[in-house]
């Protein structure tokens, strides 16, 4: 939970929503709105207060049981958190669940979350070393997707 709160503070800064009071909680799957939700955000735009609920890793179905949960980002807690945080910006435009407009917003939010998390991880993995001639050389290694269970163990 402490690491999750650290990620929350970091991403609030990156997304420039530090003026929001946002709480993140790990919850049982049954506390979410749908069988296929891994997380949910409740936003109160007027007060700039939000609550993000993310399914606890122990409550996710085992890999291979349901193809919905076997997509790479379903078990990536950072991607999930960023996805929900982006909804702070999109909530005023969102329509009823299941509509074409809602689906379009979800696809856009998920694409942005993946791009932002991917760029952050790429930047973290690049190391610069100074050679004798004063030039910089870059060494790039992309980190794999963070497994939720591994994330919580460390």
């Amino acid at each position: 939970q402490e690491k999750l709160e650290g990620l929350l503070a970091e991403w609030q800064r990156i997304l420039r929503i530090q003026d929001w009071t946002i709480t993140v909680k790990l919850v049982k799957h049954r506390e979410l709105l749908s069988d296929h939700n891994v997380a949910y955000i409740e936003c109160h735009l007027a007060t700039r207060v939000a609550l993000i609920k993310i399914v606890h890793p122990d409550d996710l179905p085992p890999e291979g049981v349901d193809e919905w949960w076997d997509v790479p980002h379903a078990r990536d807690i950072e991607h999930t958190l960023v996805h929900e945080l982006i909804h702070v910006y999109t909530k005023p435009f969102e329509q009823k669940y299941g509509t074409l407009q809602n689906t379009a917003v979800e696809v856009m939010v998920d694409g942005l979350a993946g791009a932002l998390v991917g760029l952050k991880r790429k930047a973290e993995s690049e190391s610069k070393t100074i050679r004798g001639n004063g030039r910089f050389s870059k060494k790039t290694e992309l980190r794999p997707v963070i497994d939720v269970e591994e994330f919580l163990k460390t």
Side-chain angles (χ1 to χ4, degrees):
Q1 183 71 37
E2 189 177 312
K3 285 189 175 193
L4 189 56
E5 289 169 7
L7 280 175
L8 172 63
E10 178 182 13
W11 279 104
Q12 278 190 259
R13 183 184 52 75
I14 291 169
L15 296 172
R16 295 186 171 48
I17 50 175
Q18 306 98 307
D19 57 331
W20 278 71
T21 302
I22 302 175
T23 305
V24 62
K25 289 174 50 178
L26 293 172
V27 299
K28 294 281 188 190
H29 186 255
R30 68 178 176 270
E31 294 181 46
L32 298 183
L33 301 177
S34 161
D35 285 343
H36 288 123
N37 278 9
V38 71
Y40 180 75
I41 185 168
E42 296 172 21
C43 288
H44 303 280
L45 300 174
T47 58
R48 293 183 181 255
V49 173
L51 170 64
I52 297 173
K53 296 177 181 179
I54 299 176
V55 174
H56 194 285
D58 293 344
D59 208 39
L60 291 172
E63 289 188 43
V65 170
D66 184 338
E67 66 184 29
W68 173 263
W69 297 101
D70 291 338
V71 296
H73 64 269
R75 297 176 190 274
D76 184 334
I77 203 162
E78 186 172 25
H79 176 104
T80 300
L81 176 66
V82 173
H83 175 111
E84 297 307 321
L85 287 171
I86 293 170
H87 279 297
V88 166
Y89 288 107
T90 64
K91 278 295 180 188
F93 310 107
E94 292 180 17
Q95 301 291 319
K96 185 177 176 185
Y97 184 80
T99 63
L100 180 60
Q101 292 88 346
N102 180 264
T103 300
V105 167
E106 285 298 323
V107 168
M108 185 254 328
V109 166
D110 207 55
L112 286 172
L116 291 169
V117 171
L119 285 170
K120 176 187 168 235
R121 289 177 182 165
K122 181 178 179 185
E124 288 174 344
S125 69
E126 290 181 350
S127 62
K128 295 181 180 179
T129 57
I130 300 177
R131 294 185 184 169
N133 60 10
R135 292 187 177 161
F136 290 91
S137 66
K138 290 184 179 181
K139 178 184 173 191
T140 303
E141 295 174 10
L142 296 179
R143 280 189 357 200
V145 171
I146 295 175
D147 179 67
V148 175
E149 292 154 359
E150 288 299 317
F151 174 82
L152 292 173
K153 286 180 188 173
T154 57

